[in-house]
Amino acid sequence: MLKNLFTALFILGIIPLSFAQGIKGKVVDAASGAALPGVSITVQGAARGTASDAKGDYTLTIAKGTYKIKFGFVGYETQLVDVTIGNETKTLNISLKEGTSLLNEIVVTGTRSGGRSKIDSPVPVDVIAIAQVTNNVGQVDLNQILNYLAPSFQSSRQTVTDGSDHVDPAQLRGLGSDQVLVLVNGKRRHQTALVNVNGTVNKGTVGTDLNAIPANSVEKIEILRDGAAAQYGSDAIAGVINIVLKKQEGLSGNVSYGSNVTSYDKNYVLSKGTAPSQSVVDGGTTQVGLNYGFKLGEKGFLNLTGEFTHRNASNRTGTYTGQVYPSVNGVVKDDSILAAKNLTRNDFDLRFGNAKVTGYGLEANGVLPISQHLEVYAFGGFSSKDGNAAGFYRYPNSVPASVRSNVLSVYPNGFLPEISSTVSDASAVAGIRGKLGAWNVDLSNTYGKNVFDFT
């Protein structure tokens, strides 16, 4: 009874720390042996805890007794250890394994994907395991996957917006595309060659093309919102998105297909009356992905990914009701001209919807230890996609009178200009990291290139 009373008084802070024992030790990464700073160490059922320092060392003072000690760190599996404290401070060294599943010890109220935020870190970090969500949202590219899963992330496909039809602008917390820092395996990712114009979302900004990274190569995505600029600089005002590539062994793959089925009345605005409802199937999307990983030596690995994606165009345009041809002596004669040419107003529709895109991507991620404390790492990839969208229809009536005769001699019924593109993206990162004496070192170089060709 006296022991239990002492423990209770100590937890409440009534008995000073000088009369208590405790535990101490070091927390390291189970794979590399590197120290883990900032690991949360708490006593279950008691309002006591601490965190590991820059060297991974920690000290926690507690009274005699038996406790459950919890070790937790973002991106790692939580460890729960039973400890009995006697008369002396006990040494307890912990090795944490990197986790690939959702952080199910975390509960976040109000999110659309359940508990997946690390809230016991200095600032909240969303951790999204791609393997567990791609089948649930029905999307094949990273922009749309994040759009469905991260409430602070927003990416809308654009239409009739020049090059932005082919590269989806994205934003975090409502800020510009160029205020979101994108990392891959913790290294800065280059931006796209496209400047968003034509009244699009994030007009005048240059962002990062997340869709250039094959979704099948991604293990998880970490999103840091609060305090990102203080840690990473002014290009992270909106936050940081860190894409962690796969390092698993074995062969995996997927094949998916989906399309839009829309019922609507295309001729609802015609003066002749309402036509029967129509069903349109378009926007069919196909994805084929293959991932293979294998060991390099005892602790090294190489993971390779190939992916092919094809998306057909979609169109949600209503029938054009404006004037098509120039007036004759001040009189609009569209109906008679259309009948004489065996045309209808539907032949003059625009294309409002997703652009047609066909692309492929390759990605590699590897690590090779060269000594007990040093390892060489490299990752990178290449992607290319061809897109096709449309601008505004050039009606014969809208052509300026000064050049009308010249234009109509080539295009008597006007024309719908097409915006075609070829977007290629290449990246490579190589470096060496580990321990040199008392120093933790990481020396690396990154390369990135994005080319956007209009045709």
Side-chain angles (χ1 to χ4, degrees):
M1 179 180 294
L2 184 60
K3 175 183 176 182
N4 293 337
L5 177 62
F6 176 84
T7 302
L9 293 175
F10 170 75
I11 292 174
L12 292 174
I14 297 174
I15 295 180
L17 298 180
S18 57
F19 293 97
Q21 293 73 38
I23 57 174
K24 65 178 181 179
K26 189 180 189 69
V27 186
V28 299
D29 181 284
S32 65
L36 293 178
V39 176
S40 173
I41 302 125
T42 57
V43 182
Q44 284 211 326
R48 296 206 57 79
T50 187
S52 59
D53 61 19
K55 297 181 179 180
D57 297 325
Y58 74 93
T59 301
L60 180 61
T61 305
I62 48 179
K64 294 181 181 179
T66 300
Y67 304 93
K68 287 186 179 293
I69 310 297
K70 179 181 176 182
F71 295 82
F73 191 55
V74 60
Y76 288 79
E77 296 179 0
T78 298
Q79 213 173 118
L80 201 61
V81 181
D82 291 323
V83 177
T84 299
I85 305 299
N87 294 323
E88 299 179 354
T89 299
K90 187 171 184 177
T91 300
L92 181 62
N93 296 321
I94 297 295
S95 298
L96 294 183
K97 294 181 180 179
E98 188 171 0
T100 58
S101 61
L102 294 180
L103 301 173
N104 43 354
E105 80 274 13
I106 307 301
V107 176
V108 179
T109 303
T111 66
R112 289 173 285 177
S113 61
R116 55 95 202 277
S117 291
K118 189 70 176 177
I119 58 175
D120 55 0
S121 59
V123 291
V125 178
D126 289 346
V127 181
I128 301 172
I130 292 296
Q132 299 190 13
V133 298
T134 49
N135 294 331
N136 297 331
V137 300
Q139 302 297 320
V140 299
D141 57 71
L142 290 186
N143 266 326
Q144 293 304 309
I145 289 173
L146 287 174
N147 199 35
Y148 277 75
L149 293 172
S152 59
F153 182 91
Q154 197 273 334
S155 176
S156 297
R157 289 175 179 159
Q158 308 293 294
T159 185
V160 194
T161 54
D162 202 68
S164 298
D165 283 23
H166 312 275
V167 178
D168 302 337
Q171 57 188 24
L172 197 63
R173 302 169 70 190
L175 299 176
S177 297
D178 54 356
Q179 295 174 325
V180 180
L181 175 59
V182 177
L183 310 175
V184 177
N185 284 352
K187 305 297 181 181
R188 273 175 163 82
R189 173 90 177 177
H190 62 281
Q191 294 179 314
T192 179
L194 177 74
V195 180
N196 294 302
V197 294
N198 285 8
T200 62
V201 174
N202 297 324
K203 179 179 180 180
T205 66
V206 178
T208 301
D209 187 5
L210 294 177
N211 294 343
I213 304 172
N216 283 279
S217 69
V218 178
E219 178 180 288
K220 62 184 178 180
I221 298 178
E222 302 168 345
I223 302 178
L224 170 64
R225 299 183 302 273
D226 300 331
Q231 299 180 61
Y232 290 91
S234 60
D235 56 345
I237 293 174
V240 178
I241 298 175
N242 183 34
I243 298 170
V244 181
L245 300 178
K246 288 180 179 178
K247 43 187 174 288
Q248 64 189 32
E249 297 177 32
L251 179 67
S252 63
N254 76 290
V255 178
S256 65
Y257 174 80
S259 63
N260 303 316
V261 180
T262 304
S263 298
Y264 74 110
D265 182 359
K266 186 174 180 60
N267 299 310
Y268 67 97
V269 292
L270 287 180
S271 59
K272 295 180 180 179
T274 301
S277 178
Q278 304 177 28
S279 291
V280 174
V281 179
D282 62 7
T285 302
T286 302
Q287 183 193 55
V288 180
L290 193 65
N291 178 268
Y292 179 64
F294 56 91
K295 282 187 175 182
L296 291 179
E298 293 186 3
K299 295 184 178 180
F301 68 87
L302 178 62
N303 189 278
L304 305 172
T305 303
E307 185 175 276
F308 170 81
T309 303
H310 174 76
R311 184 183 75 206
N312 284 319
S314 58
N315 191 5
R316 296 296 175 268
T317 307
T319 301
Y320 177 67
T321 60
Q323 184 174 346
V324 179
Y325 294 96
S327 302
V328 179
N329 297 324
V331 179
V332 178
K333 300 201 175 212
D334 283 350
D335 291 341
S336 59
I337 297 175
L338 289 172
K341 294 189 174 188
N342 197 27
L343 298 173
T344 68
R345 288 184 171 273
N346 291 333
D347 294 313
F348 298 87
D349 290 344
L350 280 70
R351 280 166 50 186
F352 284 144
N354 292 336
K356 179 181 178 180
V357 175
T358 301
Y360 66 90
L362 304 171
E363 197 77 24
N365 181 33
V367 170
L368 179 63
I370 57 176
S371 71
Q372 184 177 357
H373 301 294
L374 290 175
E375 64 181 15
V376 174
Y377 64 92
F379 57 90
F382 176 82
S383 70
S384 179
K385 57 185 176 182
D386 296 320
N388 180 272
F392 289 103
Y393 201 104
R394 270 58 169 178
Y395 300 102
N397 181 60
S398 64
V399 178
S402 59
V403 296
R404 183 171 294 166
S405 60
N406 292 332
V407 174
L408 296 185
S409 65
V410 181
Y411 300 104
N413 299 311
F415 63 93
L416 180 67
E418 291 189 347
I419 303 173
S420 296
S421 69
T422 298
V423 185
S424 59
D425 191 283
S427 66
V429 177
I432 184 171
R433 64 191 172 202
K435 289 184 69 70
L436 286 177
W439 292 87
N440 292 318
V441 298
D442 187 342
L443 178 65
S444 66
N445 190 48
T446 65
Y447 170 83
K449 181 179 181 180
N450 183 273
V451 179
F452 195 116
D453 286 331
F454 281 103
T455 57

